[in-house]
Amino acid sequence: MSKQIVTEKDVGYIAKLAKIGLNKREKELYSGQINDILLFFARIKELNTEQIEPTFFEGTPSQHFHEDVVMPSLPQNIALGMTGCREDGYFEVPGIL
Amino acid sequence: MPLNELSVVDYLNKMNNREISAEQVLKDIFNQIDRIDKTVKSYLYLNKEEALSEAKKIDQKIKNNDIPPLAGLPVAINDNICTGGMETTAASRILKGFIPPYDATVIKRIKDAGGIIIGKTNLDEFAMGISNENSAFQITLNPWDRTRVPGGASGGSAAAVAADETLIALGTDTGGSVRLPASFCGISAIKPTYGRISRYGVIGCASSLEQIGIMGKGIKDLAILMNVISGYDELDSTSSHISTPDFLLSCREGINNLKFGIPKEFFSQDLDRGVKEKVIDSINRISQLGGKIEEVSLPNMEYALPAYSIIAMAEASSNLAKFDGISYGLRIEDSGDLEEMYLKTRGSGFGAEVIRRILLGTYVLTSNHYEDYYLKAQKIRSLIKKDFENVFKKFDLLIGPASPVPPFKLGEKEDEPLAQILAEIYTSPVNMAGLPAISINCGFTEKERLPVGLQIIGPPFQEEKILRVAYNLEQELKEINSVKPDLSF
């Protein structure tokens, strides 16, 4: 049996962080699969990278700033037109509290 | 010859000589789609009426001697690239019915040059996968063998090109997603250098890795579209200011005296024998054409795939956080509060592969695991980049297989999530270093007659050299590649 890195409880916790609702069967399924993939990821631990700097982006992202000019934005009716849940020119959301 | 079988080069020649009309070509394309797409299932959305009306306008313009550069060229678009006014779903249930209010920069450039968008092609949901089986809506079949997958993620575009349902197509490539399906479907595809083509309007998953790629029937076709869509875009802060050469001109030169490195790590025991044979045949042909061939080593390559997967999943978990059910896309709200709406919408809107990758990405970004996985992977990325820089001091280009295996059977790897990752073993290191690469069909396996893709990798912004070699090889392999898939069903 392969080493267990994550449990169903861990998967439940991660899913909550990622805001993805999972039932018990899904937690069980994903914990097994995620475990296998994490074992594959663990291969990178063999390599000593202590003195190596990370590369977060390839190339040099152009640090160009736009001129500070007022430009038209998406009209409100179009921005709101992509959801059925709107009211009085606002997005409608369920209660937060 | 039906006009849907034309290459882009022949299309433009015939249009310029007034031998054909854009409308005739579109009609032949839509006839082909009507005839075979119920089976092949390349397209998620067809833009038939608008496309035909555009074609008429272009034909009229041409009558008035105003010929735009693409002269009504029909182009298919992967469904994770935004097309204003046209449904764009990234093959996900969470985006079903989403109609973007704007065009991606590449779409705008194609339209401005007189190209016509004919429809949106299928892919693995949010471009996560290698087979197209992760699409929420349909599974595209490989035109060469309909019991097999077309590859992924941009499998719909690859199948559409191979089955003459378009003349050319766009896809996206995060770890091999235009090169793998090109290899599986016997066509050509280029993944340009990171920053060469604007990503504005791509439904991004792994922003530091992905690039828009071009998929076509021939190398010159790729060069023609590269000319149109490359170049700086102020709407994408990662787009490069480097000037755009005329890529078509690069196809004029020979390859005499170019030095080619063959990375020994690309010929490991994981490589299928039939694929290996064809790749070695092509390397020998390049040598006969005057190329200097030598074995090289990329010593950290075995760590590239796990490091790539960690970065891709971490970025995906962050990028996909925007799909929250509020301002667009699916919302599932039966009762309960905001938190419950998020959980239900995202839990049922995303498919299994996407959920698995979001969970893994979230895990490697948690404070307990960040250093061991995410930061470590970014350090390995520096080593991979260095490996490539070292070999490119001595060699012009690298050559190897695009995929370790030929197209596999539908369902064969469905229950093996790890297999979804392993197929990108030769393509993902290229994305880690932001390099350009191409996959070109180099023949068919002896036993099952399945297409095999050869990968040519170059230093940053050296697409011209890659296209030049690929074009020379294409001329060499003309006879082999003159075979077409049997679509008489």
Side-chain angles (χ1 to χ4, degrees):
Chain A
M1 201 177 134
S2 59
K3 191 181 155 196
Q4 192 175 28
I5 302 175
V6 289
T7 61
E8 277 174 51
K9 199 176 156 199
D10 295 328
V11 168
Y13 173 69
I14 305 161
K16 206 168 168 224
L17 286 178
K19 305 236 179 289
I20 289 177
L22 297 181
N23 60 33
K24 186 161 171 23
R25 191 194 60 78
E26 288 167 328
K27 282 180 203 163
E28 191 186 314
L29 175 75
Y30 286 125
S31 63
Q33 294 172 342
I34 286 174
N35 216 56
D36 288 346
I37 296 173
L38 286 174
L39 284 170
F40 170 67
F41 287 176
R43 189 182 292 181
I44 66 169
K45 293 183 181 173
E46 295 166 10
L47 202 58
N48 182 353
T49 53
E50 227 165 89
Q51 304 299 319
I52 311 291
E53 287 297 314
T55 299
F56 289 100
F57 253 94
E58 266 327 308
T60 318
S62 47
Q63 296 296 323
H64 300 283
F65 295 98
H66 292 285
E67 289 298 315
D68 190 12
V69 179
V70 178
M71 303 279 280
S73 59
L74 210 55
Q76 190 189 31
N77 63 328
I78 291 179
L80 287 166
M82 291 178 277
T83 175
C85 303
R86 55 184 180 263
E87 199 178 307
D88 299 334
Y90 292 95
F91 291 111
E92 194 185 22
V93 296
I96 290 169
L97 294 172
Chain B
M1 172 183 173
L3 300 175
N4 55 304
E5 293 181 14
L6 287 173
S7 67
V8 173
V9 174
D10 290 342
Y11 172 85
L12 292 177
N13 282 338
K14 286 182 187 297
M15 285 299 284
N16 280 307
N17 295 334
R18 316 288 204 275
E19 292 170 38
I20 54 171
S21 74
E23 190 184 358
Q24 282 175 319
V25 176
L26 269 190
K27 280 185 175 163
D28 280 6
I29 285 177
F30 285 117
N31 282 342
Q32 177 79 339
I33 293 171
D34 286 347
R35 193 176 72 76
I36 67 164
D37 212 53
K38 281 188 255 7
T39 308
V40 179
K41 294 190 168 77
S42 301
Y43 283 92
L44 287 175
Y45 178 89
L46 289 174
N47 189 34
K48 193 171 177 178
E49 277 176 33
E50 199 187 311
L52 285 166
S53 140
E54 277 304 307
K56 282 179 191 160
K57 283 184 207 160
I58 298 270
D59 288 335
Q60 192 54 49
K61 265 189 175 184
I62 293 173
K63 269 187 194 156
N64 299 331
N65 283 326
D66 174 12
I67 307 183
L70 291 181
L73 178 75
V75 187
I77 307 292
N78 222 38
D79 200 33
N80 61 344
I81 300 175
C82 285
T83 40
M86 208 184 291
E87 189 179 23
T88 299
T89 67
S92 179
R93 207 166 95 76
I94 210 160
L95 277 176
K96 181 73 193 146
F98 170 62
I99 297 175
Y102 67 95
D103 276 334
T105 296
V106 288
I107 302 299
K108 186 175 180 309
R109 288 185 179 176
I110 288 171
K111 286 181 177 174
D112 288 350
I116 296 176
I117 310 304
I118 54 171
K120 306 300 291 288
T121 49
N122 195 27
L123 66 153
D124 284 299
E125 184 179 3
F126 286 109
M128 296 182 192
I130 53 153
S131 66
N132 251 242
E133 293 167 295
N134 296 330
S135 166
F137 307 122
Q138 62 193 31
I139 296 174
T140 303
L141 308 184
N142 191 317
W144 290 94
D145 178 344
R146 296 187 298 282
T147 66
R148 292 176 190 270
V149 303
S154 312
S157 283
V161 171
D164 292 318
E165 295 178 284
T166 183
L167 300 199
I168 195 158
L170 294 187
T172 60
D173 191 309
T174 309
S177 287
V178 300
R179 287 162 287 156
L180 265 181
S183 172
F184 281 15
C185 290
I187 62 163
S188 300
I190 185 161
K191 177 250 169 231
T193 310
Y194 187 83
R196 176 68 92 181
I197 294 176
S198 168
R199 291 182 302 111
Y200 177 73
V202 172
I203 300 176
C205 277
S207 310
S208 77
L209 299 163
E210 65 206 0
Q211 264 293 284
I212 288 175
I214 305 168
M215 313 172 83
K217 299 173 191 178
I219 302 302
K220 281 189 169 178
D221 292 6
L222 305 182
I224 288 168
L225 207 53
M226 279 283 287
N227 281 350
V228 171
I229 64 173
S230 301
Y232 176 69
D233 175 20
E234 64 172 8
L235 298 173
D236 174 4
S237 67
T238 63
S239 110
S240 168
H241 275 274
I242 200 159
S243 61
T244 303
D246 184 342
F247 293 107
L248 203 48
L249 290 179
S250 55
C251 298
R252 288 186 181 173
E253 295 169 64
I255 62 172
N256 215 8
N257 293 325
L258 286 182
K259 289 182 190 158
F260 296 88
I262 313 297
K264 64 176 183 191
E265 291 80 7
F266 282 28
F267 291 84
S268 62
Q269 56 184 20
D270 303 324
L271 182 60
D272 176 270
R273 222 160 87 191
V275 172
K276 189 177 177 179
E277 272 172 20
K278 292 295 141 192
V279 170
I280 289 176
D281 274 358
S282 290
I283 292 172
N284 290 337
R285 283 178 191 255
I286 288 173
S287 169
Q288 284 156 14
L289 288 169
K292 309 266 179 290
I293 309 282
E294 203 178 302
E295 187 181 271
V296 292
S297 177
L298 298 162
N300 294 295
M301 222 32 59
E302 66 174 298
Y303 305 106
L305 189 59
Y308 153 79
S309 307
I310 289 168
I311 295 167
M313 291 181 196
E315 291 185 8
S317 74
S318 166
N319 264 323
L320 269 54
K322 62 178 166 277
F323 300 107
D324 58 6
I326 291 180
S327 46
Y328 55 89
L330 179 77
R331 180 192 289 205
I332 295 181
E333 184 187 0
D334 30 24
S335 61
D337 59 11
L338 183 68
E339 179 78 6
E340 212 176 311
M341 187 276 282
Y342 286 149
L343 295 173
K344 283 185 177 158
T345 300
R346 290 165 60 80
S348 60
F350 292 131
E353 180 65 26
V354 174
I355 288 180
R356 197 161 37 240
R357 293 191 191 206
I358 291 176
L359 294 175
L360 276 155
T362 307
Y363 179 85
V364 300
L365 287 175
T366 54
S367 55
N368 289 346
H369 305 292
Y370 177 88
E371 280 192 24
D372 286 348
Y373 290 100
Y374 184 68
L375 187 62
K376 180 109 184 174
Q378 299 287 26
K379 289 180 173 185
I380 290 174
R381 185 185 210 168
S382 304
L383 295 173
I384 303 296
K385 199 179 162 194
K386 193 84 199 146
D387 279 358
F388 279 114
E389 280 168 7
N390 287 339
V391 294
F392 284 131
K393 281 178 193 157
K394 198 175 164 199
F395 296 93
D396 293 290
L397 297 166
L398 299 177
I399 311 182
S403 166
V405 289
F408 49 87
K409 292 271 185 189
L410 291 159
E412 191 182 318
K413 296 186 191 292
E414 214 169 31
D415 300 323
E416 301 173 57
L418 198 53
Q420 300 270 352
I421 297 171
L422 293 174
E424 295 175 318
I425 188 164
Y426 305 136
T427 46
S428 60
V430 169
N431 301 69
M432 288 283 273
L435 304 174
I438 211 166
S439 175
I440 169 174
N441 186 44
C442 65
F444 298 83
T445 56
E446 293 297 333
K447 209 170 132 200
E448 287 159 312
R449 305 303 298 158
L450 297 169
V452 175
L454 178 85
Q455 185 176 210
I456 307 171
I457 306 167
F461 299 105
Q462 297 278 316
E463 288 89 348
E464 288 166 280
K465 221 179 256 178
I466 294 176
L467 289 164
R468 176 177 152 194
V469 173
Y471 180 70
N472 277 275
L473 186 62
E474 183 183 63
Q475 297 310 299
E476 235 350 76
L477 298 172
K478 227 172 193 170
E479 208 171 305
I480 294 173
N481 287 343
S482 62
V483 211
K484 289 215 156 233
D486 176 12
L487 298 169
S488 56
F489 47 84

